[in-house]
Amino acid sequence: MYDYHPPLRDMRFVIEHVLRAPAQWAQIPDFAEVDMSTATEVLQQAGRFTCEVLLPLNAPGDRQGCRLEGGRVCTPTGFPAAWRAYVDAGWPALSCDPHWGGQGLPRLLDVALGEMVNATNHAWNMYAGILHGAYETVKAHGSDDLRARYLPRLASGEWLSAMALTEPQSGSDLAGVRTRAEPRADGSLAVTGSKVFISGGDHDLTDNIVHLVLCRLPEAPPGTQGLSLALVPKVLPDGSRNSMTADGIEHKMGIHGSATCTMRYEGATGWLLGEPHRGLAAMFVMMNAARLAVAVQGLGHLDMAAQNARRYAAERQQFRASIAQHPAMRRTLLNGQAMAEGLRVVVYRAAMRLDEAERHPDAARRAAAAAEASILTPVLKAFGSQQGFQGASDALQVFGGYGYVAETGVEQTLRDARIAMIYEGTNEIQAIDLLQRKLLGREAETFAALLGDLRKEAEGAGDDGRPLATQIDAAQHALAMVRDRAARDAEAPLRVADDFLAGVAYLLMAWAWTASLRAAGRCTAEDLGPAERAAVARHGLDWLLPQSAVHWHRVNAALPLGRVGE
Amino acid sequence: MYDYHPPLRDMRFVIEHVLRAPAQWAQIPDFAEVDMSTATEVLQQAGRFTCEVLLPLNAPGDRQGCRLEGGRVCTPTGFPAAWRAYVDAGWPALSCDPHWGGQGLPRLLDVALGEMVNATNHAWNMYAGILHGAYETVKAHGSDDLRARYLPRLASGEWLSAMALTEPQSGSDLAGVRTRAEPRADGSLAVTGSKVFISGGDHDLTDNIVHLVLCRLPEAPPGTQGLSLALVPKVLPDGSRNSMTADGIEHKMGIHGSATCTMRYEGATGWLLGEPHRGLAAMFVMMNAARLAVAVQGLGHLDMAAQNARRYAAERQQFRASIAQHPAMRRTLLNGQAMAEGLRVVVYRAAMRLDEAERHPDAARRAAAAAEASILTPVLKAFGSQQGFQGASDALQVFGGYGYVAETGVEQTLRDARIAMIYEGTNEIQAIDLLQRKLLGREAETFAALLGDLRKEAEGAGDDGRPLATQIDAAQHALAMVRDRAARDAEAPLRVADDFLAGVAYLLMAWAWTASLRAAGRCTAEDLGPAERAAVARHGLDWLLPQSAVHWHRVNAALPLGRVGE
């Protein structure tokens, strides 16, 4: 019953018609050989892989979960073989640098691949999803030696990776990290400490697992300014096991097939990545990649849930009609569709900015694109994960009682999707990052430039551009209000950061729906169903966008916030 | 870690100071002996029972679930003993008629009991929760014979009940019910058919289970006008087993300790409840009781999740302070508190209306109270269940990664709470019931009277009453718009019914917060913390109420709604 139809037409519409990615590829020499037909072929193959290999493992993996046996983690039946098939097909290397064995394709296609992988098997994707961030971190911060030793195997997926940051006393606040790293005479480090919530800290998908561990060198300054990042492999170059142990795995609400490990490092051998005490900067390379990946997870869940709800509703008869024809259900279905299609546009835009940031020949363009991506990332992480969860719950409602039953599948999507609002920085941390650190900080001009760019879309759309223009005005006004208030009341931005992020998210969605509407208007490819796409985009502008008003209202109202009792 | 502090002070504040229930009891001869000290004593004992007996079974019941063994359902360890303890303490009979062995206490106290039972063990409450509705149905529609045979044992809880409506092809739309009932010479019926999603269809809590089965007599008219209701006991008066079998139990997202059965009736012996072909009317006695019980479930979940989040946040240190002091978390905690306290006021108001409807000496007052309850019920069922789920998700976010882990408990609340948005009529069905059937139908004047009553609160509150007055104006305006539009466009009310219900819910919450604010102002019982209550009520008005604007906007905007593709 719970099936997946890879949204290839939707993807093609966004990539080719809304975002016009081929025009970008033409400007980037590295992508000289990429065109829409390559892209379509890649996405078709990816869609086939996810349906044939990953989807069949999703529900069984949820039921079976992971086991810790004699200090070794066993993943659900079929997970290791699926990883080997994924590696053999070259998927991990899709957007990696050909110098390190990658295929050098746009990140955009990697993101589209990630959407389908996550839609069909979030738990399995937990192993795959972290890889690109680890690759980027080692590439950016590893010594020549470490790069030579680890990059080809990370790019190919021969080895997987884990990101070891959180400790029991230190979650959102990394200042409390206590794991120690003692330099040895040979230039290596002896890493000792405990980490919790380490996704894929141990598993049986690959022989080696490359841990990136946040730790402190001796005499490091306190707080986050004293953190360093160490590369600590499960298997050392001489083939011996490193001194790290998975002490336990968590029993979670969802993603049961993903091993969430409690890790103990006891003088484990590692090597510094980047400068001493600059671990946070190195970590953020990985973290930003992971945050966009979380947005992609939200998109995958949302689309998976919404498309299944549409199919079920079209078949389920009540009151002498399919429930898809009843207004309340029709609206829920259109909400899901509009949200998924809008979110896809913005997520793919962010991916294109990363491609530009990494590969555009012009340095100024690279810098501007990187800056825009740094604004889009927290918005998409928070909003995308929230919509993935909300969309799953909405879809479950369409299934009614059948949705609450495990066999149907949508309740697993809901359970799996919920974690995305928490990990890789909670959604509240994203909101603070966006408003406090970036828009009120060093990225004020980037935001102004982004709004300027979006305003062009509004102006080009004529009457249809008015909702978007209103959002842009609202965002500018709200930011000015917050900035003004922050000077007198340092806590003020923190009180409204979540609403501010939500407001910006709806603004971006308004842009996405407006751009989709225009793209549908000029799209002559009838097989892409431009008329229906225009209707869905209008539904987003009419029915969903009004939610933004509440968020801007709360930002502007400068409400006080009482103390909590208990 | 997941603990329950019965909200006795909150309950007392609402019952004594906001709703001034003792003044109502004084008007009702049946309650001549009830006063605030009786009520407090009952609630204290109820709180103790739920903490000592039900809470310890909640998480183990979730892990263990129900089993179907040889056609018999086994509930989790401890569930049957807890039921016997509940019966021995007289809890099922709390608000039942003394004539049938009940204690004759106000329904209001039964609802407060239900809140605590549900907060501590929703799955177990599934067995208890249906009982009162079954008792009411048999009392209102049973023959003298049936009443004599079944009412004392239902009131005492010696026997439990099940409500058998849904069939695979017939969920929200009961017109499709096919179960047949053939009259026999002795006046009994032979009931044959299949039912799905029957909560407590079989279990080991009581020897007998009284099924109320929706069915069709021979030559019944088609549709819902041809439905009858039959009382079909698991054990017949002669002690033999009736011909009914639990063929399966569902594997669900939550409430694992509640047996959701697929039932097969094969010429099972039953007796008609009420008139032939008038089963829907009889069923609605039960259904309305069940719907208010679902609102109470939402309240229980919301308060349970919110109070645990407050305690956790007060202890969890990040960024050199408890996370309860960080604005984003503080706001989430206050949201939960304000929502729970406001919802409790409205739910308890509905319970008081039911008391008035059942026991007030003046017939006109009884009729008016029943009418108001019929409006409050669908709003509270939908909004309460939604807030229970949303509140659990918000609380989970406060727990962060620990919230996603089973051991913490909040993820079970989230999973359990989700069903309440579906069963006893989906939330979308509630919205149609409210707007189409009641406000645009026979209860237009009741709604006007309710708004008139709420306006008195707004006027009495001076400046503090403005948000409430605005809501009342908005509701009147919106209803006029919808009524006007409905004349030309029959589908129009269905498109906005969900938003209309949400708008009315926020209006009721505005009344609750306003009334709480005033009550706090005049409350001299310092142990009830009136100052903090006032702050929480203001938080509701300031931070939560603005959400209503989106709902009224969508109702008023008369938006079109496209067709769904796929």
Side-chain angles (χ1 to χ4, degrees):
Chain A
M1 195 187 250
Y2 212 58
D3 200 0
Y4 186 58
H5 297 187
L8 300 174
R9 290 163 61 245
D10 310 78
M11 290 173 167
R12 217 180 95 206
F13 179 73
V14 173
I15 294 171
E16 186 172 2
H17 296 275
V18 183
L19 298 175
R20 293 187 268 208
Q24 185 204 50
W25 300 335
Q27 292 178 4
I28 297 177
D30 285 356
F31 297 152
E33 285 168 40
V34 185
D35 60 15
M36 203 55 219
S37 103
T38 332
T40 305
E41 173 64 22
V42 167
L43 296 179
Q44 273 171 354
Q45 285 183 27
R48 207 172 304 131
F49 184 91
T50 59
C51 287
E52 289 172 4
V53 179
L54 299 181
L55 183 61
L57 301 176
N58 192 41
D62 179 63
R63 284 195 297 274
Q64 195 181 349
C66 293
R67 305 184 314 283
L68 183 64
E69 289 180 356
R72 297 171 49 137
V73 170
C74 303
T75 62
T77 307
F79 272 39
W83 181 253
R84 284 191 297 275
Y86 194 73
V87 169
D88 290 346
W91 293 118
L94 196 68
S95 68
C96 294
D97 192 332
H99 178 73
W100 299 111
Q103 298 188 38
L105 286 168
R107 180 78 77 97
L108 174 58
L109 298 183
D110 195 50
V111 159
L113 163 68
E115 180 190 331
M116 295 188 273
V117 171
N118 193 78
T120 48
N121 204 323
H122 181 178
W124 187 90
N125 189 37
M126 292 299 293
Y127 303 100
I130 200 68
L131 193 58
H132 203 94
Y135 162 87
E136 292 290 344
T137 308
V138 176
K139 184 156 166 270
H141 294 283
S143 64
D144 288 349
D145 224 38
L146 287 176
R147 285 149 57 108
R149 207 186 304 151
Y150 290 99
L151 280 185
R153 273 132 157 180
L154 288 173
S156 70
E158 182 185 342
W159 293 346
L160 275 162
S161 182
M163 191 162 123
L165 315 179
T166 303
E167 300 180 8
Q169 75 292 345
S170 185
S172 291
D173 180 9
L174 292 170
V177 162
R178 293 180 192 152
T179 295
R180 287 171 296 117
E182 302 279 343
R184 290 192 188 123
D186 65 358
S188 71
L189 300 167
V191 176
T192 301
S194 291
K195 297 282 181 182
V196 292
F197 298 135
I198 308 310
S199 298
D202 192 44
H203 57 70
D204 52 8
L205 269 60
T206 53
D207 297 331
N208 203 354
I209 304 170
V210 180
H211 287 228
L212 305 190
V213 182
L214 213 54
C215 53
R216 284 182 194 284
L217 291 165
E219 293 164 44
T224 53
Q225 301 308 311
L227 294 173
S228 297
L229 193 64
L231 185 158
V232 185
K234 175 179 169 180
V235 178
L236 291 166
D238 66 5
S240 65
R241 270 293 299 263
N242 209 344
S243 307
M244 60 164 84
T245 316
D247 273 338
I249 53 176
E250 305 287 352
H251 298 97
K252 306 183 300 295
M253 182 163 91
I255 53 168
H256 294 160
S258 167
T260 307
C261 302
T262 303
M263 294 300 304
R264 187 160 38 92
Y265 305 88
E266 296 177 297
T269 298
W271 294 273
L272 197 63
L273 276 175
E275 302 296 309
H277 318 320
R278 299 294 306 277
L280 213 58
M283 186 202 83
F284 264 105
V285 172
M286 178 164 60
M287 190 59 112
N288 280 329
R291 285 176 176 178
L292 187 61
V294 174
V296 176
Q297 289 166 9
L299 172 59
H301 283 308
L302 175 58
D303 186 61
M304 181 74 175
Q307 61 166 262
N308 275 283
R310 285 199 298 280
R311 286 191 289 270
Y312 177 77
E315 286 180 11
R316 172 76 173 166
Q317 301 282 318
Q318 292 284 278
F319 303 106
R320 291 184 297 278
S322 82
I323 62 171
Q325 294 174 260
H326 292 298
M329 291 295 105
R330 211 162 88 212
R331 185 175 140 191
T332 301
L333 297 172
L334 284 164
N335 286 354
Q337 201 168 353
M339 201 49 99
E341 296 194 2
L343 186 59
R344 184 177 290 116
V345 173
V346 189
V347 168
Y348 286 17
R349 176 186 175 116
M352 282 178 66
R353 287 296 158 275
L354 291 180
D355 279 327
E356 204 173 335
E358 287 162 16
R359 320 263 198 157
H360 200 281
D362 177 24
R365 289 285 295 272
R366 287 201 301 275
E372 188 188 308
S374 82
I375 287 181
L376 296 179
T377 298
V379 179
L380 288 169
K381 190 279 177 186
F383 190 72
S385 62
Q386 198 239 317
Q387 291 304 321
F389 176 69
Q390 184 62 49
S393 180
D394 289 351
L396 193 151
Q397 193 71 11
V398 174
F399 282 90
Y402 292 99
Y404 197 66
V405 168
E407 285 77 358
T408 312
V410 65
E411 66 88 31
Q412 185 190 345
T413 298
L414 189 152
R415 289 185 290 103
D416 289 352
R418 186 61 184 80
I419 185 59
M421 294 167 68
I422 298 170
Y423 62 18
E424 314 304 356
T426 67
N427 285 3
E428 291 75 16
I429 293 285
Q430 305 300 321
I432 296 169
D433 178 51
L434 174 74
L435 181 58
Q436 180 104 317
R437 191 152 161 269
K438 289 173 179 164
L439 302 197
L440 296 176
R442 60 171 193 247
E443 301 297 354
E445 282 178 31
T446 306
F447 189 58
L450 172 61
L451 293 186
D453 189 54
L454 303 185
R455 201 179 282 281
K456 276 186 230 145
E457 187 73 45
E459 286 165 358
D463 272 2
D464 287 339
R466 253 181 298 173
L468 172 56
T470 304
Q471 290 299 314
I472 296 168
D473 294 343
Q476 285 174 327
H477 176 74
L479 185 57
M481 296 272 290
V482 173
R483 190 179 287 123
D484 180 57
R485 220 178 298 140
R488 302 184 305 277
D489 173 4
E491 199 203 68
L494 298 176
R495 288 201 294 274
V496 298
D498 292 297
D499 278 309
F500 197 94
L501 183 144
V504 173
Y506 276 100
L507 152 66
L508 291 167
M509 296 299 284
W511 164 75
W513 290 317
T514 308
S516 295
L517 202 53
R518 286 181 80 196
R522 64 180 179 249
C523 175
T524 53
E526 281 306 315
D527 66 313
L528 294 182
E532 192 196 336
R533 288 180 198 285
V536 169
R538 261 190 216 289
H539 180 88
L541 291 168
D542 288 348
W543 285 93
L544 298 175
L545 188 56
Q547 179 61 38
S548 64
V550 183
H551 301 297
W552 295 129
H553 164 80
R554 282 199 286 242
V555 172
N556 294 334
L559 297 166
L561 187 60
R563 295 279 146 191
V564 179
E566 180 70 30
Chain B
M1 193 187 247
Y2 212 58
D3 199 0
Y4 185 59
H5 297 188
L8 300 173
R9 290 162 64 244
D10 309 78
M11 289 173 168
R12 218 180 95 206
F13 179 74
V14 173
I15 293 172
E16 188 173 359
H17 296 276
V18 183
L19 299 175
R20 294 188 269 207
Q24 186 204 50
W25 300 335
Q27 292 178 3
I28 296 177
D30 285 356
F31 298 153
E33 285 167 38
V34 185
D35 60 14
M36 203 55 219
S37 103
T38 332
T40 306
E41 174 63 22
V42 167
L43 297 179
Q44 273 170 355
Q45 286 183 27
R48 209 172 301 132
F49 185 91
T50 58
C51 287
E52 289 173 4
V53 179
L54 300 181
L55 183 60
L57 301 176
N58 191 43
D62 179 63
R63 284 194 297 275
Q64 195 181 347
C66 294
R67 306 184 313 283
L68 183 65
E69 288 181 357
R72 297 170 50 135
V73 170
C74 303
T75 61
T77 306
F79 272 41
W83 180 252
R84 284 191 298 277
Y86 194 74
V87 168
D88 290 346
W91 292 117
L94 197 68
S95 69
C96 294
D97 193 330
H99 179 73
W100 299 112
Q103 298 188 39
L105 287 168
R107 181 77 77 95
L108 175 58
L109 299 183
D110 196 51
V111 159
L113 164 68
E115 179 190 330
M116 295 188 274
V117 171
N118 194 78
T120 49
N121 203 322
H122 181 178
W124 186 89
N125 189 38
M126 293 297 294
Y127 303 100
I130 201 69
L131 193 58
H132 202 93
Y135 162 87
E136 293 289 346
T137 308
V138 177
K139 185 157 165 270
H141 295 283
S143 64
D144 289 348
D145 222 39
L146 288 175
R147 285 149 58 107
R149 205 186 307 150
Y150 292 99
L151 279 185
R153 271 128 158 183
L154 289 173
S156 69
E158 183 185 342
W159 293 347
L160 277 162
S161 183
M163 192 161 122
L165 316 179
T166 303
E167 299 180 8
Q169 76 291 349
S170 184
S172 292
D173 181 10
L174 292 169
V177 162
R178 292 179 194 154
T179 296
R180 287 172 294 117
E182 302 279 343
R184 290 191 188 123
D186 64 359
S188 71
L189 300 168
V191 176
T192 302
S194 291
K195 298 283 181 180
V196 294
F197 299 135
I198 308 310
S199 297
D202 191 44
H203 58 70
D204 51 10
L205 269 58
T206 52
D207 297 331
N208 204 354
I209 304 170
V210 180
H211 288 228
L212 305 189
V213 182
L214 214 53
C215 52
R216 284 183 194 282
L217 290 165
E219 291 163 47
T224 55
Q225 300 308 309
L227 295 174
S228 299
L229 192 65
L231 185 157
V232 185
K234 175 177 169 181
V235 178
L236 290 166
D238 67 4
S240 65
R241 271 293 301 261
N242 209 344
S243 307
M244 60 164 86
T245 316
D247 273 336
I249 53 176
E250 305 287 351
H251 297 99
K252 307 183 300 294
M253 181 163 90
I255 52 167
H256 294 160
S258 167
T260 307
C261 302
T262 304
M263 293 301 304
R264 185 161 38 92
Y265 306 88
E266 295 177 297
T269 299
W271 296 273
L272 197 64
L273 278 174
E275 302 295 309
H277 317 320
R278 299 294 306 276
L280 212 59
M283 185 202 85
F284 264 106
V285 172
M286 178 165 60
M287 191 59 113
N288 280 327
R291 285 176 176 179
L292 187 61
V294 175
V296 176
Q297 290 166 9
L299 172 59
H301 283 309
L302 176 58
D303 186 61
M304 181 74 176
Q307 61 166 261
N308 275 283
R310 284 200 296 282
R311 287 191 289 271
Y312 177 78
E315 287 180 10
R316 172 77 173 167
Q317 301 282 318
Q318 292 283 279
F319 302 106
R320 289 184 300 278
S322 82
I323 61 170
Q325 295 174 260
H326 293 298
M329 291 295 105
R330 211 160 89 213
R331 186 175 139 191
T332 302
L333 297 172
L334 283 164
N335 286 354
Q337 202 169 351
M339 201 49 100
E341 297 195 2
L343 186 59
R344 185 177 291 116
V345 173
V346 189
V347 168
Y348 286 18
R349 176 186 176 115
M352 282 178 66
R353 288 296 159 274
L354 292 181
D355 279 326
E356 206 173 333
E358 287 161 19
R359 319 263 200 156
H360 200 282
D362 177 26
R365 289 285 295 272
R366 287 200 302 274
E372 188 188 308
S374 83
I375 287 180
L376 296 179
T377 298
V379 179
L380 288 169
K381 190 280 177 184
F383 189 71
S385 62
Q386 198 239 319
Q387 292 303 320
F389 177 68
Q390 183 61 48
S393 179
D394 289 351
L396 193 151
Q397 193 71 10
V398 173
F399 282 89
Y402 292 99
Y404 197 67
V405 168
E407 285 78 357
T408 312
V410 66
E411 66 87 31
Q412 185 190 344
T413 298
L414 188 152
R415 287 186 289 104
D416 288 353
R418 186 61 184 81
I419 186 58
M421 294 167 68
I422 298 169
Y423 63 16
E424 314 304 356
T426 66
N427 286 3
E428 291 74 17
I429 293 285
Q430 306 300 320
I432 295 170
D433 178 51
L434 175 74
L435 181 58
Q436 180 104 317
R437 191 151 161 271
K438 291 174 178 163
L439 303 197
L440 295 176
R442 60 172 193 244
E443 301 296 354
E445 282 178 30
T446 306
F447 189 59
L450 172 62
L451 293 185
D453 189 55
L454 303 185
R455 200 180 282 280
K456 277 187 227 143
E457 187 72 47
E459 285 164 1
D463 272 3
D464 287 338
R466 254 180 299 174
L468 172 56
T470 304
Q471 290 299 315
I472 295 169
D473 295 342
Q476 285 174 327
H477 176 74
L479 184 57
M481 296 272 291
V482 172
R483 190 180 288 122
D484 181 58
R485 220 179 296 141
R488 302 184 306 277
D489 172 5
E491 198 202 68
L494 299 175
R495 289 201 294 273
V496 297
D498 292 297
D499 278 309
F500 198 95
L501 184 145
V504 173
Y506 275 101
L507 152 66
L508 292 167
M509 296 298 284
W511 165 76
W513 290 318
T514 307
S516 295
L517 202 52
R518 285 182 79 198
R522 62 179 180 250
C523 174
T524 55
E526 281 306 315
D527 64 312
L528 294 183
E532 191 195 336
R533 286 180 200 286
V536 168
R538 262 191 215 290
H539 180 87
L541 291 169
D542 288 348
W543 286 92
L544 298 175
L545 188 55
Q547 179 61 39
S548 63
V550 182
H551 301 297
W552 295 129
H553 164 80
R554 281 198 288 241
V555 172
N556 295 334
L559 297 165
L561 187 59
R563 295 279 145 191
V564 178
E566 178 71 30

